Amino acid sequence: GFHLTSLSLHLLAAALLFYLARDTLAGPRLPAAVRQLAIGLAAAIAMVWAVHPLTTQAVTYIYQRIELLASLCMLTCLLATNRVWHPTEQTDRLLGWKLLALAAACLAMLSKETAVVLPLLVLLQGWLLTERPAVALRQQGRFLLLLAGSWLVLFAVLLAQRQHYAEIEKAVHPPLAYLLTQAGVIVHYLRLVVWPSGQCLDYDWPLADSPLTVWWQGPLVVAGVVATASGLWRRQVWAFPAAGFFLVLAPTSSLVPVADIANEHRMYLPLACLLGLTIPAGWWLMVSRTGDGSQQATRRLFAVAIFGVTAVLGGITHNRNTVYASRWAMWTDVLAKRPENPRAHWFTGLMLAEQGQTDEALAHAGRATRLDPFVRAYQQLGQIFSDAGDRASWERACREGRATLTALGKAAAPPTLDLGVGQATALFELGRATEARRLLDELLPEIQQHLPADHGVRFAARLLSLRLQLAAGQPALADARRLLDDAATALGPAHTTTLAAETALAVSLAATGEDAEAEARLRSVLASQQQKPANLPATDAAATTLAGFLKSRDRWPAVGQLWQQLAEDRCQQLGVG
């Protein structure tokens, strides 16, 4: 369903591109040879774009639905504004196109931040494609102001979701170095347009450390920008798709650093701009060389070339789509093409851990961490082993992770302390409480010195300390209540650590004979875990704890009822009768 929806959106976008290209190429400022074949050229542009392998990341990689939606809305807006610039309908129809353009612009801003350039594209559309631009811009001045008002929608989104944008808080890369790097990235994009070989989901593109790194790509991109600026100044029609290419890439390929330096989905709409420039230009050059006398033969030759290119690109796209068939295919492809990519090692390690290949998983986690100490490879491996009940591998992952980070000079870093508490917890659950207490006592001074009071690792350490007290026969009710209150305030009532603290409080209550509150809290934890359908191991653990309490009170009918209800819920979640 997800893929079918994305494919449908892509085909709809291709249809809109066809209509936009047809209307644009039939405009009064285009050469006669282009206007006469506007429909055929528009079909060629839409057809090649629809099957080009450079669109696979936007269409097949589900997360990039945002790219699809933003591009679809931008194409809708440009198609509607093209009708505004070249009105042929009655006034009420013209009003309808304006309303459609405004709605599409707002939806584009809600879809993805790169739509910020849309009002500028509309302005260039009026400047370059109308015969009397000054008159057209003056007549549509109020409409253009309303269209620019869509920026307020984007501003509101950025303001409301500020915490989700790391780039807003501080530059993730030095801006000038990022700009230099984008010269090489843009040339790579252009190479993929012509020769789509070596595509990669996650490039982990290195940052340029000097202008010499892009000694030939930089001048090439600058020459393209200068030529486009010159075309804009002289109002040459080819400058519209050329400017569209640079403008749509600008939010991610200029001075504003984005975490991922290169991503193929960013070429989804710029690719349409390039095809809108090169295919009509290719046709015009063919016609200008052959003359009118052989135009019919030229058309046939051009059609054969387009269909041939489409067939080849379609085959490459089909092969490229196989990479997205599974996580394993996707990340092993990245690893083969970018062996120094930390995320490729990280996610390959996670998949190997899920298959029970502990040694191989830890080897990839170590490689990922040495390449980038900020990845959470060891922590996530530990979580996988913990959920699978393999506490020995969990303890090993935490131990090796601490050793790796310590060797990198990160002994007191939060991830290292997190792994330390994880190792101590795994030791406790392995029945090695003395070792767990010794390790926790070793960690506590570092945790208290380097982490704030509301940090998750401090709560995890307090929780383990409480569990050790309970195991030693010390209920510690006051400590348990204090921990639960603090965790609920700092982390939220549904956080994993908060629920674990509530479980520990319930165990303390049961140990002191307060069965009614203990049972109520255990059932509350189970209900909270059941609200997280993907968290099945935690739900099972909560149910097991509750069942253990009921068994200790000889309430066997309640135990049977609990497991029956849990089984029915699980069958419903998994779609099993």
Side-chain angles (χ1 to χ4, degrees):
F2 287 105
H3 289 293
L4 181 60
T5 302
S6 291
L7 182 59
S8 300
L9 291 171
H10 178 55
L11 294 176
L12 179 57
L16 290 172
L17 177 61
F18 164 76
Y19 286 113
L20 175 61
R22 182 200 64 180
D23 291 357
T24 303
L25 295 174
R29 302 200 65 229
L30 275 292
V34 173
R35 293 201 307 270
Q36 290 170 4
L37 200 63
I39 294 178
L41 292 172
I45 293 168
M47 188 164 60
V48 173
W49 182 72
V51 302
H52 201 289
L54 200 48
T55 64
T56 50
Q57 187 169 322
V59 179
T60 313
Y61 191 40
I62 296 300
Y63 179 78
Q64 289 308 325
R65 175 74 57 79
I66 54 177
E67 189 75 42
L68 275 176
L69 289 173
S71 300
L72 184 69
C73 294
M74 291 174 74
L75 287 169
T76 302
C77 181
L78 289 171
L79 178 60
T81 53
N82 193 68
R83 303 294 174 88
V84 173
W85 294 122
H86 305 283
T88 57
E89 294 88 2
Q90 299 174 352
T91 305
D92 56 343
R93 293 271 185 93
L94 192 59
L95 178 62
W97 287 117
K98 289 182 177 181
L99 292 175
L100 177 61
L102 292 171
C106 292
L107 291 173
M109 301 295 173
L110 288 170
S111 298
K112 195 173 183 181
E113 301 81 358
T114 50
V116 66
V117 301
L118 180 56
L120 300 179
L121 288 174
V122 173
L123 187 64
L124 290 180
Q125 196 180 35
W127 170 252
L128 296 170
L129 302 180
T130 57
E131 292 185 286
R132 301 171 62 193
V135 174
L137 292 174
R138 186 169 59 251
Q139 288 177 343
Q140 303 301 335
R142 186 178 301 177
F143 167 67
L144 291 174
L145 285 175
L146 288 173
L147 196 67
S150 61
W151 281 330
L152 296 176
V153 175
L154 180 57
F155 177 75
V157 171
L158 294 174
L159 192 63
Q161 299 186 358
R162 181 184 178 88
Q163 69 274 16
H164 298 299
Y165 294 93
E167 294 88 350
I168 292 179
E169 298 298 329
K170 62 178 181 178
V172 291
H173 303 292
L176 288 178
Y178 185 84
L179 181 64
L180 277 176
T181 307
Q182 287 306 308
V185 173
I186 290 173
V187 171
H188 177 72
Y189 290 158
L190 292 172
R191 198 270 296 171
L192 288 177
V193 174
V194 180
W195 190 259
S197 172
Q199 289 182 260
C200 187
L201 172 71
D202 187 352
Y203 283 98
D204 190 38
W205 198 282
L207 202 64
D209 51 8
S210 78
L212 294 177
T213 308
V214 289
W215 66 271
W216 67 273
Q217 298 100 323
L220 185 64
V221 173
V222 169
V225 173
V226 170
T228 301
S230 174
L232 291 174
W233 179 257
R234 292 184 289 171
R235 291 190 64 239
Q236 295 179 335
V237 291
W238 62 263
F240 179 61
F245 170 78
F246 286 111
L247 272 178
V248 178
L249 278 179
T252 55
S253 300
S254 60
L255 272 171
V256 182
V258 181
D260 289 320
I261 293 174
N263 260 318
E264 290 173 12
H265 66 260
R266 295 171 185 166
M267 275 294 291
Y268 185 68
L269 201 53
L271 173 63
C273 297
L274 286 179
L275 296 175
L277 172 63
T278 55
I279 290 178
W283 165 250
W284 183 77
L285 287 173
M286 288 181 69
V287 171
S288 64
R289 285 180 176 276
T290 57
D292 293 337
S294 60
Q295 193 177 56
Q296 195 62 36
T298 304
R299 288 188 180 190
R300 285 196 293 268
L301 178 62
F302 190 77
V304 169
I306 290 296
F307 280 113
V309 168
T310 302
V312 171
L313 292 176
I316 298 172
T317 296
H318 175 75
N319 289 333
R320 179 62 188 163
N321 274 320
T322 61
V323 170
Y324 296 92
S326 66
R327 284 192 305 154
W328 182 259
M330 196 162 65
W331 286 109
T332 52
D333 178 75
V334 174
L335 195 58
K337 293 170 179 174
R338 291 291 190 275
E340 298 301 303
N341 186 324
R343 279 186 294 209
H345 285 283
W346 176 3
F347 294 128
T348 301
L350 297 183
M351 291 183 290
L352 289 168
E354 291 169 354
Q355 297 169 10
Q357 301 182 48
T358 303
D359 292 340
E360 295 85 348
L362 289 172
H364 280 285
R367 183 65 176 152
T369 304
R370 284 187 289 274
L371 288 167
D372 182 0
F374 295 100
V375 302
R376 295 180 56 82
Y378 281 112
Q379 287 97 317
Q380 291 190 358
L381 283 184
Q383 187 63 54
I384 290 172
F385 294 138
S386 173
D387 290 344
D390 186 355
R391 290 171 176 79
S393 295
W394 177 18
E395 188 274 336
R396 180 184 168 190
C398 293
R399 174 165 35 88
E400 292 188 11
R402 286 183 66 213
T404 302
L405 286 168
T406 300
L408 294 171
K410 306 287 184 181
T416 312
L417 299 174
D418 185 18
L419 287 167
V421 175
Q423 183 185 356
T425 305
L427 288 170
F428 171 71
E429 295 191 8
L430 283 167
R432 296 156 64 181
T434 303
E435 293 177 66
R437 170 52 71 184
R438 188 184 307 119
L439 177 57
L440 183 61
D441 290 342
E442 176 187 326
L443 292 168
L444 282 175
E446 295 285 342
I447 290 173
Q448 292 168 356
Q449 179 181 352
H450 296 287
L451 301 180
D454 59 350
H455 196 282
V457 175
R458 291 192 69 157
F459 283 110
R462 288 175 61 186
L463 176 63
L464 177 58
S465 180
L466 179 60
R467 294 179 68 188
L468 286 166
Q469 285 181 268
L470 292 172
Q474 305 169 16
L477 266 176
D479 290 342
R481 291 189 187 279
R482 191 179 307 112
L483 173 60
L484 177 59
D485 290 342
D486 293 346
T489 301
L491 306 176
H495 192 275
T496 301
T497 302
T498 305
L499 295 177
E502 188 166 8
T503 301
L505 174 58
V507 173
S508 298
L509 290 165
T512 57
E514 299 184 42
D515 289 1
E517 186 180 353
E519 182 178 351
R521 290 192 175 278
L522 290 175
R523 291 191 181 277
S524 173
V525 170
L526 177 58
S528 296
Q529 298 289 15
Q530 287 177 315
Q531 296 300 315
K532 308 172 184 177
N535 199 15
L536 300 183
T539 302
D540 292 343
T544 301
T545 303
L546 176 57
F549 168 77
L550 295 172
K551 289 177 186 178
S552 69
R553 302 309 191 256
D554 290 327
R555 294 173 56 188
W556 295 101
V559 174
Q561 184 179 8
L562 169 66
W563 288 121
Q564 181 177 352
Q565 183 60 52
L566 190 67
E568 291 175 356
D569 292 344
R570 187 63 48 81
C571 288
Q572 185 176 4
Q573 289 174 7
L574 301 177
V576 180

